[in-house]
Amino acid sequence: MQSRLTGIGMTSERTRIRMVERLREQGVVDETVLLAMQSVPRHIFVDEALASRAYEDSALPIGHGQTISQPYIVARMIELLRNGGSRSKVLEVGTGCGYQAAVLARVCSEVYSVERIGTLQENARKAARELRLLNLRFKHADGSLGLPEAAPFDGIIVAAAGMQTPPALLEQLAVGGRLVIPLGGRDQVLKVVDRTPDGFHEQTLESVRFVPLLGGLE
Ligand code: SAH
């Protein structure tokens, strides 16, 4: 029997190679990120009924009113996080189905991912186990509080948009570390914050669209 991991037709490695070609055309240049995107089977993170659409450049529903981010935004955010170098210990806020966390686990040595919806977090954990990603840890928690027990992080990626950067995330960013976060309500922009010995330096990049960063657990 064909393994779900190997994939066939629309879920095969060839389909992923085409996805990566598209990411290059869209301007992603970090080869480490592109290689990771080529190796992580995105279809195992979505419902079987949607598997054949997993490599389209679109966001797809994952239940609980949440979505899996489009491949381009995952690649772009990780490329921004790496900034041409490597990041060893990274926190992701908003695990969702766990796809971005899995790609992060291929390019960083230690990844922590926090999700406020318990069932999503459980599904993500199963997928990561299937892929044997041993350097990826999940926690069911409110990510606006960061993850104090594992801090400081040299990279933080937020996959949901708030109105401002949660102060705990800035506190838990190591000197030399970088935070990538979408901010705003209906009109959102991607922000990058670098922490240097003399403080925080912020840049505003392109417009984006993310689900809202919410408080409390479900
Ligand atoms: N990283 C995902 C995208 C998930 S969508 C991917 O790979 O496609 C964003 C997720 O953030 C949702 O699952 C939502 O439940 C979660 N979220 C929103 N606010 C949060 C918070 N305060 N803490 C943790 N997770 C949060």
Side-chain angles (χ1 to χ4, degrees), residues 41-47 60-63 66-70 74 92 94-102 113 115 117 119-128 131 136 138 159:
R42 185 171 156 90
H43 64 275
I44 73 158
F45 294 90
V46 298
D47 193 88
L60 297 170
I62 55 171
Q66 306 302 321
T67 52
I68 178 171
S69 302
Q70 66 181 122
V74 171
E92 178 193 42
T95 313
C97 61
Y99 173 68
Q100 175 162 270
S113 185
E115 168 60 55
I117 301 177
T119 20
L120 289 180
Q121 193 254 163
E122 274 310 314
N123 292 343
R125 197 186 285 274
K126 279 185 209 137
L131 295 179
L136 173 54
F138 296 99

Coordinates of all heavy atoms in Angstrom, one line a residue, residues 41-47 60-63 66-70 74 92 94-102 113 115 117 119-128 131 136 138 159:
P41 N 5.8 17.1 3.7 CA 4.5 16.8 3.0 C 3.4 17.6 3.6 O 2.9 17.3 4.6 CB 4.4 15.3 3.2 CG 5.1 15.0 4.4 CD 6.2 16.0 4.6
R42 N 3.0 18.7 2.9 CA 2.0 19.6 3.4 C 0.6 18.9 3.5 O -0.2 19.3 4.3 CB 1.9 20.8 2.4 CG 1.0 21.9 2.8 CD 1.3 23.1 1.9 NE 0.1 24.0 1.8 CZ -0.1 25.0 2.7 NH1 0.7 25.3 3.6 NH2 -1.2 25.8 2.5
H43 N 0.4 17.9 2.6 CA -1.0 17.3 2.6 C -1.3 16.5 3.8 O -2.5 16.4 4.1 CB -1.1 16.4 1.3 CG -0.2 15.2 1.3 ND1 1.1 15.3 0.9 CD2 -0.3 13.9 1.7 CE1 1.7 14.1 1.0 NE2 0.8 13.3 1.5
I44 N -0.3 16.1 4.6 CA -0.7 15.4 5.8 C -1.2 16.3 6.9 O -1.7 15.9 8.0 CB 0.4 14.5 6.4 CG1 1.5 15.3 7.0 CG2 1.0 13.5 5.4 CD1 2.3 14.4 8.0
F45 N -1.1 17.6 6.7 CA -1.6 18.6 7.7 C -3.0 19.1 7.5 O -3.6 19.8 8.2 CB -0.6 19.8 7.8 CG 0.7 19.4 8.3 CD1 1.7 19.0 7.4 CD2 1.0 19.5 9.6 CE1 3.0 18.7 7.9 CE2 2.2 19.1 10.1 CZ 3.2 18.7 9.3
V46 N -3.6 18.6 6.3 CA -5.0 19.0 6.0 C -5.9 17.8 6.0 O -5.4 16.7 5.9 CB -5.1 19.8 4.7 CG1 -4.3 21.1 4.7 CG2 -4.6 19.0 3.5
D47 N -7.2 18.1 6.1 CA -8.1 17.0 6.0 C -7.9 16.2 4.7 O -7.6 16.8 3.6 CB -9.5 17.6 6.0 CG -10.6 16.6 6.3 OD1 -10.9 16.4 7.5 OD2 -11.1 16.1 5.3
L60 N -6.1 27.1 3.5 CA -7.2 26.1 3.5 C -7.8 26.0 4.9 O -7.0 26.2 5.9 CB -6.7 24.8 3.0 CG -6.1 24.7 1.6 CD1 -5.4 23.3 1.3 CD2 -7.3 24.9 0.6
P61 N -9.1 25.6 5.0 CA -9.6 25.5 6.3 C -9.1 24.3 7.1 O -8.9 23.2 6.5 CB -11.1 25.3 6.1 CG -11.2 24.8 4.7 CD -10.0 25.4 3.9
I62 N -8.8 24.4 8.4 CA -8.4 23.3 9.2 C -9.3 23.0 10.4 O -9.0 22.3 11.3 CB -6.9 23.5 9.7 CG1 -6.8 24.9 10.5 CG2 -5.9 23.5 8.6 CD1 -5.5 25.0 11.2
G63 N -10.5 23.6 10.3 CA -11.5 23.4 11.4 C -11.4 24.5 12.4 O -10.4 25.3 12.4
Q66 N -10.2 28.1 11.7 CA -8.8 28.5 11.5 C -8.4 28.0 10.1 O -9.1 27.2 9.5 CB -8.0 27.9 12.6 CG -8.4 28.3 14.0 CD -8.5 29.8 14.2 OE1 -7.6 30.6 13.7 NE2 -9.5 30.3 14.9
T67 N -7.2 28.5 9.7 CA -6.7 28.1 8.4 C -5.3 27.7 8.4 O -4.5 28.1 9.3 CB -6.8 29.3 7.3 OG1 -6.2 30.4 7.9 CG2 -8.2 29.6 7.0
I68 N -4.8 26.9 7.4 CA -3.4 26.7 7.2 C -2.9 27.8 6.3 O -3.6 28.1 5.3 CB -3.2 25.3 6.6 CG1 -1.7 25.0 6.3 CG2 -3.9 25.0 5.3 CD1 -1.3 23.5 5.9
S69 N -1.8 28.4 6.7 CA -1.3 29.6 5.9 C -0.9 29.1 4.5 O -0.5 28.0 4.4 CB -0.1 30.2 6.6 OG -0.5 30.7 7.9
Q70 N -1.0 30.0 3.6 CA -0.6 29.7 2.2 C 1.0 29.5 2.2 O 1.7 30.1 2.9 CB -1.0 30.8 1.2 CG -0.3 32.1 1.4 CD -0.8 33.1 0.5 OE1 -1.2 34.2 0.9 NE2 -0.6 32.9 -0.8
V74 N 4.3 31.2 4.5 CA 5.1 30.4 5.4 C 6.6 30.5 5.0 O 7.5 30.8 5.9 CB 4.7 28.9 5.3 CG1 5.7 28.0 6.1 CG2 3.3 28.7 5.9
E92 N 7.1 29.5 17.9 CA 6.0 29.8 17.0 C 4.7 30.0 17.8 O 4.4 29.2 18.6 CB 5.7 28.7 15.9 CG 4.6 29.1 15.0 CD 4.0 28.0 14.2 OE1 3.9 26.8 14.7 OE2 3.7 28.2 13.0
G94 N 0.8 30.2 17.5 CA -0.3 29.8 16.6 C 0.1 28.6 15.7 O 0.3 28.7 14.5
T95 N 0.1 27.4 16.3 CA 0.5 26.2 15.7 C -0.5 25.8 14.5 O -0.1 25.4 13.5 CB 0.4 25.0 16.7 OG1 1.1 25.4 17.9 CG2 1.0 23.7 16.1
G96 N -1.8 26.1 14.7 CA -2.8 25.6 13.8 C -2.6 24.1 13.5 O -2.6 23.3 14.4
C97 N -2.5 23.8 12.2 CA -2.3 22.4 11.9 C -0.9 21.9 12.1 O -0.6 20.7 12.0 CB -2.7 22.2 10.4 SG -1.7 23.1 9.3
G98 N 0.1 22.8 12.3 CA 1.4 22.4 12.6 C 2.4 22.4 11.4 O 3.5 22.0 11.5
Y99 N 1.8 22.8 10.2 CA 2.7 22.8 9.0 C 3.9 23.7 9.1 O 5.0 23.3 8.9 CB 1.9 23.2 7.8 CG 2.7 23.3 6.5 CD1 3.3 22.2 6.0 CD2 2.9 24.6 6.0 CE1 4.1 22.3 4.9 CE2 3.7 24.7 4.8 CZ 4.3 23.5 4.3 OH 5.1 23.7 3.2
Q100 N 3.7 25.0 9.5 CA 4.8 25.9 9.6 C 5.8 25.5 10.7 O 7.0 25.6 10.5 CB 4.3 27.3 9.9 CG 5.5 28.3 10.1 CD 5.0 29.7 10.0 OE1 5.0 30.3 8.9 NE2 4.6 30.3 11.1
A101 N 5.3 24.9 11.8 CA 6.2 24.4 12.8 C 7.1 23.3 12.3 O 8.2 23.2 12.6 CB 5.3 23.9 14.0
A102 N 6.5 22.4 11.4 CA 7.3 21.3 10.8 C 8.4 21.9 9.9 O 9.5 21.4 9.9 CB 6.3 20.4 10.1
S113 N 6.1 25.3 19.7 CA 5.0 25.9 19.1 C 3.8 25.9 20.0 O 3.5 24.9 20.6 CB 4.7 25.2 17.8 OG 3.6 25.8 17.1
E115 N -0.3 26.8 20.8 CA -1.6 26.9 20.2 C -2.7 27.0 21.3 O -2.7 26.3 22.3 CB -1.9 25.7 19.3 CG -3.3 25.6 18.8 CD -3.8 26.8 17.9 OE1 -3.1 27.2 17.0 OE2 -4.9 27.3 18.3
I117 N -6.0 26.5 20.8 CA -7.1 25.5 20.6 C -6.6 24.1 20.8 O -5.8 23.6 20.0 CB -7.8 25.7 19.3 CG1 -8.3 27.1 19.1 CG2 -8.9 24.7 19.0 CD1 -9.0 27.5 17.8
T119 N -7.7 20.9 20.4 CA -7.8 19.9 19.4 C -6.8 20.1 18.2 O -6.2 19.1 17.7 CB -9.2 19.7 18.8 OG1 -9.9 21.0 19.0 CG2 -10.0 18.6 19.3
L120 N -6.6 21.4 17.9 CA -5.7 21.6 16.8 C -4.3 21.2 17.2 O -3.5 20.6 16.5 CB -5.7 23.1 16.4 CG -6.9 23.7 15.7 CD1 -6.8 25.2 15.4 CD2 -7.1 22.9 14.4
Q121 N -4.0 21.6 18.4 CA -2.6 21.3 19.0 C -2.4 19.7 19.0 O -1.3 19.3 18.6 CB -2.6 21.9 20.4 CG -1.2 21.9 21.0 CD -1.1 20.8 22.1 OE1 0.0 20.6 22.5 NE2 -2.2 20.3 22.6
E122 N -3.5 19.0 19.3 CA -3.3 17.5 19.4 C -3.1 17.0 18.0 O -2.3 16.1 17.8 CB -4.6 16.9 19.9 CG -4.6 16.8 21.5 CD -3.3 16.1 22.0 OE1 -2.9 15.1 21.4 OE2 -2.8 16.7 23.0
N123 N -3.8 17.5 17.0 CA -3.6 17.0 15.6 C -2.2 17.3 15.1 O -1.6 16.5 14.4 CB -4.7 17.7 14.6 CG -6.1 17.2 14.9 OD1 -6.3 16.2 15.6 ND2 -7.1 18.0 14.4
A124 N -1.8 18.5 15.4 CA -0.4 18.9 15.0 C 0.6 18.0 15.6 O 1.6 17.6 14.9 CB -0.1 20.4 15.4
R125 N 0.4 17.7 16.9 CA 1.3 16.8 17.5 C 1.4 15.4 16.8 O 2.5 14.8 16.6 CB 0.8 16.6 19.0 CG 1.8 16.0 20.0 CD 1.2 15.8 21.3 NE 0.9 17.0 22.0 CZ 1.8 17.6 22.9 NH1 3.0 17.1 23.0 NH2 1.4 18.7 23.5
K126 N 0.2 14.9 16.4 CA 0.2 13.6 15.7 C 1.0 13.7 14.4 O 1.7 12.8 14.0 CB -1.3 13.2 15.4 CG -1.9 12.6 16.6 CD -3.3 12.1 16.2 CE -4.2 12.1 17.5 NZ -5.6 12.6 17.2
A127 N 0.8 14.8 13.6 CA 1.4 14.9 12.3 C 2.9 15.0 12.5 O 3.7 14.4 11.8 CB 0.9 16.2 11.6
A128 N 3.4 15.7 13.6 CA 4.8 15.8 13.8 C 5.4 14.5 14.2 O 6.5 14.2 13.9 CB 5.1 16.9 14.9
L131 N 6.0 12.5 11.2 CA 7.2 12.9 10.4 C 8.4 12.8 11.3 O 9.5 13.1 10.8 CB 7.0 14.4 10.0 CG 5.9 14.7 9.0 CD1 5.9 16.2 8.8 CD2 6.2 14.0 7.7
L136 N 10.7 19.2 17.8 CA 9.6 20.1 17.8 C 8.7 19.8 19.0 O 8.3 18.7 19.2 CB 8.8 19.9 16.5 CG 7.5 20.5 16.2 CD1 7.5 22.0 16.4 CD2 7.0 20.2 14.8
F138 N 5.2 21.0 21.4 CA 4.0 21.7 21.4 C 3.5 22.0 22.8 O 3.7 21.3 23.7 CB 2.9 20.9 20.7 CG 3.2 20.6 19.2 CD1 3.8 19.4 18.9 CD2 3.0 21.6 18.3 CE1 4.1 19.1 17.5 CE2 3.3 21.3 16.9 CZ 3.9 20.1 16.6
A159 N 1.8 33.6 14.0 CA 1.0 33.3 12.9 C -0.5 33.8 13.0 O -1.4 33.3 12.3 CB 1.0 31.8 12.7

